[in-house]
Amino acid sequence: MLKSISTTFLVTSVCMLASSVFAAGGGGVVTADATKHFDTKGKQASTYTIELQTGLRKSLPFEDKRDFEEAKRGFIAAPEYKQIMADAGNVAWDMGSYEFLLKDGATFDTINPSLQRQAILNMAYGLYEVVPGKIYQVRGFDLANISFIKGKTGWIVFDPLTAKETARAALKLINEQLGKRPVVAVVYSHSHADHFGGVRGVVNETDVKSGKVKVIAPEGFMHHAIAENVMAGNAMTRRMFFQYGVLLPRSPYGHVDQSIGKNTAAGNLGLIEPNVIIKKDFEELTIDGIKMVFQNTPGTEAPAEMNTWFPDIKTFWAAENITGTIHNIYTLRGALVRDALEWSKQINIALHKFGQDAEVMFASHSWPRWGNDRIQEVMRAQRDTYAHLNNQVLHLANQGVTINQIHNVYKLPDSLRDQWAAHSYHGSEEHNSRAVLNRYLGYWDANPATLIPLSPEDSAPLYVEMMGGADNIIKKGKKLFDKGKYLHATEILNKLVYAEPDNQNAKDLLADNFEQIGYQKESPSVRNSFLAAAYELRHGMPEGASPKSTGPDMIRGMSTGLWLDFLGVRLDVAKAEGKHFIINFITPDNGEKYLVELSNSALTNIEGVTSKKADLSITMNRSDLNQVMMGAVSFDDQIDAGKVKLKGDRKPYDELKTMLSTFTMAFELLPGTLPEKSTLPAMNKPFKQDAPADSSGG
Ligand SMILES: [Zn+2]
């Protein structure tokens, strides 16, 4: 029985590798029997883990139940279905898979009690009234909420989810319940995919192009929606398997929540370019009779983000800047480190400009808050948590605490720990405190011994030898495990696994320690990372990574310069050694030109420049390049079809074609987890661009 679950699990995960670009955590819906571990090698919570959870149940402010009242308030209706299917035929969304959490009075020792509480709060499902007759939200249809503002004639949609299918279902639900109205405008609060990807489920591109429907976004939206996730996109997508626990079945032993929602939807992710850009710090617009004041908040949760104030109804939309969790300053899938101080300052600006009068605050995740005192309480709690994080980490750093110590030293004050809105579900105090230090001082602790460290593979055998070999380490590792010293056990077992990647006993024991750490953690990103790593150590990562599907909208929206930059990342330097060429690359339909040069095994480009000394000039329309980037046709096909004009020596083009690597996700995050050395897929379309990594969830 357990074996068969495991098999389904692997089959699903193989599919996930194929589609995960658009399915961060959401694609393979696997629900296991909640009463037992889904994994034959899995363990129950240890006595130490149970003791910790019991202590937390007694010490955290569980008597404060206002979040539960707010999460239920204004409920109108839920659909009869729990699953939303993707047009491609897979399950895009399944709230039913988390229902074990709602079993009356159930406590799970394999889930941190604070996380269990958050996971239940995120079970809100259906249509909710936020401001009577004015503002509604559909929650529990995707990672984010979709919000509807009732204008004179139609709906203004705030943040149309990750997938066309879930957004479409939400629009259908509200139209059925409250009367059919057209969508007259869409607001993208920021550049992460769970806030724009479903736009095609609520509007037609033609109506946006004609200006009939306004699509409003903050300055820098288009650039950041794509650019943040291209250069390291493949690695980010692979790392999402850890942060989002893509392989983990939904179970008290597996995936229980994603902090700002249950999970992300696995549907059709699109992007329609906005036709109204908010550029100033504050800008007022009236659309369909609704007056809105936008507050640009760049450099907070996303590089392009904005809040919105509705002065006529004293309602504040906090985008993803204030939700039911402290967010990621560093997101574990990989992203540039964010600015906790700027985030705190932008909340402070909103608190003083809008928060003094606000009677309702709603956001793109979690539940709304009502009443000015409550709103100010939550705004202050989050403002102060980000400020405390930034300031206290730097306070300690200025006294010599390093990046390798800060997470063991940094602590929230009790006054914040006693407020649920200051808890770090999406971030964690551990990885966020390291992030702040990294932002200011970088990764080095200033000890030369760590400046040029040996690779783990090179250092581990020395340690293992000095520790007296594998048997000694396993014996000690077991002792530490039995005492509940999971981080200590991890320290030595990790060395052994690096030294002996085929030592399954070592990998299993390391996995047991990871698992208990995962059970204990409040942040689902951290929990998932430990539990997913335990799974890969026990069973290996899935094989069969097939070519990723590309997202036509995301590729179309990518600048030619970014595509050329990424060709530079894909360049196989061994093949480029000793070669030199200059190519002029001209796209007349958008009036752009680039000079592309290969020299010293580096491929560079400069916009707006061409060279008279170029070996080759390539002229083609960007619209024809789109087809190549999407993989619909090859570059050679476009040449054969007469859509590309080559002038000069074509050799550089033919050489470049053979110098580009294609990235796959078949690489290990932990030693000894790749079942077989996989072969690279044939590169018949070397200029095809991978879709950017999914930025859902920030
Ligand atoms: Zn989001």
Side-chain angles (χ1 to χ4, degrees):
M1 176 61 193
L2 281 171
K3 187 143 199 298
S4 76
I5 287 176
S6 235
T7 314
T8 326
F9 198 14
L10 273 173
V11 170
T12 314
S13 28
V14 171
C15 305
M16 281 304 303
L17 276 170
S19 64
S20 66
V21 179
F22 303 131
V29 174
V30 183
T31 314
D33 178 351
T35 62
K36 56 185 174 204
H37 205 303
F38 57 85
D39 190 333
T40 42
K41 290 186 173 182
K43 304 286 186 298
Q44 297 298 320
S46 70
T47 50
Y48 299 97
T49 298
I50 294 171
E51 199 180 310
L52 180 103
Q53 319 288 39
T54 311
L56 289 171
R57 281 185 204 112
K58 286 179 193 149
S59 63
L60 288 173
F62 285 99
E63 65 286 354
D64 178 359
K65 297 198 186 299
R66 288 177 295 171
D67 287 339
F68 285 95
E69 289 154 20
E70 289 160 344
K72 272 187 246 162
R73 180 167 164 174
F75 175 73
I76 295 172
E80 281 178 9
Y81 57 84
K82 291 278 166 68
Q83 276 192 347
I84 300 169
M85 298 305 291
D87 294 346
N90 60 298
V91 176
W93 184 251
D94 185 2
M95 274 306 261
S97 61
Y98 291 103
E99 253 167 26
F100 62 89
L101 289 162
L102 298 178
K103 223 181 101 211
D104 223 15
T107 55
F108 301 101
D109 287 325
T110 52
I111 309 175
N112 177 296
S114 172
L115 172 57
Q116 189 186 330
R117 177 187 176 281
Q118 183 80 354
I120 293 170
L121 282 163
N122 280 332
M123 290 299 286
Y125 181 60
L127 176 65
Y128 293 78
E129 178 188 77
V130 179
V131 177
K134 295 281 185 204
I135 298 182
Y136 302 87
Q137 284 190 315
V138 172
R139 291 182 220 136
F141 270 44
D142 202 309
L143 185 68
N145 303 324
I146 180 169
S147 303
F148 296 88
I149 320 300
K150 195 173 179 180
K152 266 195 209 138
T153 64
W155 299 119
I156 301 172
V157 174
F158 272 58
D159 287 3
L161 306 179
T162 315
K164 179 183 165 187
E165 295 88 342
T166 52
R168 190 172 59 203
L171 179 62
K172 185 162 177 272
L173 176 65
I174 193 169
N175 278 336
E176 280 168 3
Q177 291 295 325
L178 302 178
K180 196 166 160 52
R181 298 165 72 82
V183 172
V184 294
V186 172
V187 174
Y188 299 144
S189 71
H190 66 285
S191 51
H192 293 146
D194 49 326
H195 303 266
F196 64 77
V199 64
R200 289 182 185 275
V202 297
V203 291
N204 277 320
E205 190 162 21
T206 330
D207 292 340
V208 179
K209 287 249 161 76
S210 74
K212 188 176 151 202
V213 172
K214 299 265 180 287
V215 175
I216 306 160
E219 172 94 272
F221 170 85
M222 270 310 272
H223 171 72
H224 291 297
I226 295 164
E228 201 184 353
N229 305 294
V230 171
M231 298 297 270
N234 189 62
M236 286 177 177
T237 304
R238 176 72 180 96
R239 290 164 64 115
M240 267 193 260
F241 280 67
F242 277 17
Q243 185 189 344
Y244 282 80
V246 172
L247 296 178
L248 295 172
R250 290 141 193 216
S251 139
Y253 302 93
H255 196 276
V256 299
D257 198 56
Q258 206 57 57
S259 62
I260 48 172
K262 297 313 296 177
N263 214 317
T264 66
N268 197 317
L269 190 154
L271 175 59
I272 296 176
E273 193 169 344
N275 52 18
V276 180
I277 300 294
I278 303 300
K279 294 187 173 145
K280 296 189 205 131
D281 289 354
F282 296 94
E283 251 179 72
E284 190 181 300
L285 273 185
T286 299
I287 293 194
D288 202 26
I290 303 291
K291 196 194 272 186
M292 298 179 278
V293 180
F294 298 103
Q295 176 198 0
N296 254 315
T297 65
T300 51
E301 189 264 335
E305 184 147 0
M306 62 184 187
N307 297 327
T308 306
W309 169 241
F310 300 85
D312 296 336
I313 47 173
K314 294 186 186 310
T315 296
F316 177 61
W317 157 263
E320 195 163 331
N321 285 315
I322 306 168
T323 61
T325 175
I326 294 301
H327 213 284
N328 288 307
I329 297 303
Y330 167 57
T331 185
L332 297 178
R333 74 179 167 92
L336 295 178
V337 169
R338 294 170 189 152
D339 185 345
L341 183 60
E342 183 59 23
W343 201 325
S344 171
K345 282 180 183 291
Q346 289 292 350
I347 295 175
N348 213 4
I349 291 168
L351 171 65
H352 288 278
K353 200 163 164 82
F354 310 124
Q356 307 304 309
D357 299 320
E359 288 304 328
V360 182
M361 174 167 73
F362 70 123
S364 61
H365 293 275
S366 315
W367 47 93
R369 321 284 187 167
W370 287 269
N372 188 259
D373 288 349
R374 174 64 165 158
I375 291 165
Q376 291 209 32
E377 176 192 334
V378 171
M379 291 180 95
R380 280 202 169 77
Q382 297 221 340
R383 175 197 67 181
D384 293 347
T385 308
Y386 291 113
H388 185 273
L389 176 68
N390 186 81
N391 299 344
Q392 179 61 7
V393 165
L394 295 177
H395 181 97
L396 292 164
N398 279 315
Q399 293 175 322
V401 177
T402 73
I403 193 164
N404 296 329
Q405 298 159 325
I406 189 69
H407 51 286
N408 297 315
V409 181
Y410 177 74
K411 250 180 74 105
L412 268 190
D414 289 346
S415 59
L416 284 173
R417 188 178 181 268
D418 289 343
Q419 300 187 59
W420 289 115
H423 279 249
S424 298
Y425 300 101
H426 213 27
S428 75
E429 287 161 43
E430 288 109 329
H431 72 260
N432 277 347
S433 58
R434 296 188 80 180
V436 171
L437 218 149
N438 188 30
R439 182 176 176 90
Y440 285 87
L441 294 175
Y443 59 81
W444 188 41
D445 64 358
N447 175 347
T450 66
L451 186 55
I452 318 166
L454 286 173
S455 287
E457 296 82 356
D458 293 332
S459 86
L462 179 63
Y463 278 88
V464 170
E465 186 200 333
M466 296 306 293
M467 287 190 273
D471 291 349
N472 264 357
I473 296 173
I474 295 226
K475 212 187 289 167
K476 181 71 179 176
K478 274 196 178 129
K479 261 190 200 154
L480 290 166
F481 177 82
D482 290 341
K483 285 185 190 154
K485 302 249 181 209
Y486 306 125
L487 286 173
H488 291 74
T490 293
E491 183 78 21
I492 58 169
L493 290 166
N494 189 45
K495 297 271 190 250
L496 179 54
V497 169
Y498 268 105
E500 299 181 11
D502 296 328
N503 187 332
Q504 193 58 48
N505 283 340
K507 285 189 282 190
D508 285 347
L509 190 53
L510 181 57
D512 288 348
N513 283 280
F514 278 180
E515 185 171 63
Q516 295 301 322
I517 296 168
Y519 290 162
Q520 294 183 3
K521 290 297 170 188
E522 182 180 53
S523 159
S525 300
V526 177
R527 171 190 172 93
N528 293 342
S529 298
F530 277 98
L531 296 186
Y535 180 79
E536 292 196 11
L537 282 170
R538 285 164 172 162
H539 304 285
M541 62 169 287
E543 286 180 86
S546 45
K548 289 171 275 181
S549 50
T550 48
D553 286 348
M554 298 295 277
I555 303 291
R556 250 199 307 265
M558 188 179 295
S559 70
T560 304
L562 183 56
W563 174 70
L564 291 170
D565 285 346
F566 193 60
L567 290 188
V569 173
R570 290 180 54 205
L571 186 78
D572 181 338
V573 294
K575 292 177 182 161
E577 204 172 327
K579 310 260 187 203
H580 179 261
F581 58 69
I582 293 175
I583 299 175
N584 291 330
F585 189 68
I586 301 145
T587 49
D589 60 340
N590 65 359
E592 289 184 355
K593 51 187 179 180
Y594 289 85
L595 188 160
V596 180
E597 182 168 2
L598 176 72
S599 69
N600 297 308
S601 303
L603 189 71
T604 60
N605 71 81
I606 174 167
E607 191 182 351
V609 177
T610 49
S611 168
K612 288 197 181 106
K613 288 191 220 149
D615 301 283
L616 170 68
S617 285
I618 301 176
T619 307
M620 74 188 296
N621 280 331
R622 170 61 204 238
S623 55
D624 293 325
L625 177 64
N626 282 344
Q627 299 301 310
V628 174
M629 289 167 69
M630 285 178 217
V633 294
S634 72
F635 213 107
D636 282 343
D637 293 339
Q638 295 292 56
I639 294 173
D640 293 346
K643 297 199 166 152
V644 182
K645 224 166 67 198
L646 299 177
K647 204 177 126 212
D649 179 7
R650 101 169 241 156
K651 201 172 136 215
Y653 162 74
D654 287 322
E655 281 183 339
L656 182 59
K657 226 167 43 171
T658 65
M659 288 179 194
L660 300 171
S661 299
T662 295
F663 301 126
T664 77
M665 280 180 282
F667 63 86
E668 290 177 340
L669 297 175
L670 288 159
T673 54
L674 197 62
E676 276 167 34
K677 294 284 166 245
S678 45
T679 47
L680 286 175
M683 285 193 295
N684 57 346
K685 288 176 185 158
F687 294 100
K688 182 180 164 190
Q689 172 63 46
D690 277 349
D694 186 346
S695 58
S696 292

